[in-house]
Structures are given as C-alpha cells and as structure tokens.
Amino acid sequence: MIKEKNTKKVYGDISLLIAVIVLSLIGTIFIYSASNYSASSTYNDAFFFVKKQLVGIVLGAILMICIGNYDYHKLKGVTMPLAIITPVLLSLVFLPVIGVENYGAKRWINLGFITLQPSEIAKFSLILVSATYFSKYPERANSFIGILPVLIFGGIICLLVILEPNMSITVCIALLLLVILLLAGVKIKIFVMMIVPAILVGVALIFMEPYRLKRLSAFLNPWSNPKGEGYQLLQSLYALGSGGWFGVGLFNSRQKYAFLPFSESDFILSIIGEEIGFIGLIFFFSF
C-alpha cells in the first residue's frame, strides 16, 4: 500500500506580513514628511532619508524571506562564530577609517555603500548565544556559576558598547540580559543579587559623565534649561501639543522646519503626533 505524499504547504501568519508591509509604507511616508525640509537643506535632496529607508526595507524584506524559509534549529550551528564575530565588530568601530564617528560617538562601521551599527547585531547575538546555552544546559540556570558564561558574554558586549559611548543601548542590552536570565529560570535570590549591582553601575555611569547628568535633569525638567539640554524635548512637546486631537494634517508639520532636531529619526513620533493628532496616534499604535 502506497501512502499518499502530503503536499500541503505551510503558510505563515499572512496578517502579520500585511501589517509589516503597511507599517513600513506608512513609516516611509512619515519619514518623507518629517525629513523633506532638512534633507533638501542639508543634502539638496528631499528624498535623501526616504531612499535610505527604502534600502533598509528591501534588505529587511529579503532577510525576512530567507529566515522565514530557514529551519531555526540550525541557528545553533552559528552560535559560536557569532559569539566571536560580535565582539570583533564592536571593536572595529574604534579603528580609524573603518569606524565612523558622529557627534563624538563611534558606533558605526563604514561598509562603503552603507554604515553598520554592530550594537544592533549584538542584541540578537546575546539572545541566540543565551538561548543555545540554556537549551543545552538548562540545569545551569540554578546556580551563579552556571550562568557565568552568559554573564561574561553579556558583560563584554555592554563594556564595548558603553566605550563608544552609547549608554542607552548599553542599558537596553543589560535589561535584555536580565530578562533572558529570568526566563531561563534563574532563582529569584540570584536575580536580585544581579539587579542591585546593575542599578549601582548605571547610577555610577550617569555621574561619571556630566552630560549624562544634564540629560537626565533635562528629561525630568526640560524647562530648567529651555535653550540647552531641554531644547529638543520641549520642541517635541510643542509638536505634540500643536497636533491636538486630530492633528494639523499630513505634510503640514511646522516643527520639522529646523525647530525640532532629528525630527526624521529620534523624534519622528512628535512629528507624526503633530500631523495626525492624539486620535491618529491611538489608531497608529492599535494597528
């Protein structure tokens, strides 16, 4: 008796794919709206940032398709090479010519046609290395010695990132490490023992650099220095406030005209809120 071969194809979550595509397109529209003035003034090309975004979308889509058709169990085979490559990439940012310095920070590698930020790769490396380790030795999550290899790897990454310097990403990676350990089943006693030193180190890093303390102060009270450290945050609040309930309309933002620095990247949410308003943001985040 010959069994009929199962030819049924397995499809992924189509709704998720559609959501990613739609959000990417919406994001590109808002990037154009927020950046066309600054891009024209700085690069003489209103679509400068849009082109960069489209390159990222295309590369991301290709990578998504490749990974979607790849057996994730095989990722265990690249864990060790990735654990070695990640610190190397993080170290390359400090080399002349290869490393790119911007606003006093060395966070990128120059690949000629595009820049690479190794700290973003480090996040995925930490997840993969930790998952591979604890899936192979689940019982080691019960002792401090057992979790030490993961702590050392995460600590090396955090050290290299803070030297760039990039405290925000360092904090993200440290929090990611703590969450991974908690999910791996680390005992609460050991977990608390790690949180206390982590908080103390974070506070020490803030006080070690005066500009970090100023930024924290500006975040808590931007009106204390409206023309200095608090300027950007205040301008973002003005943008959100101007948007009101329903916004000033797509492409009609006023804060993007050199009032709000980095309106096309770090503070693009303020421009989106100004143009589509509070109600629009609710729908945007609910999508």
Side-chain angles (χ1 to χ4, degrees), residues 144-159:
F144 180 77
I145 298 298
I147 65 173
L148 200 55
V150 175
L151 283 177
I152 292 174
F153 182 69
I156 292 173
I157 291 176
C158 288
L159 176 62

Side-chain angles (χ1 to χ4, degrees), residues 213-232:
L213 192 59
K214 289 181 180 179
R215 286 184 179 180
L216 178 61
S217 176
F219 174 76
L220 297 174
N221 183 18
W223 288 272
S224 63
N225 190 6
K227 294 184 179 180
E229 293 292 335
Y231 176 81
Q232 191 174 24

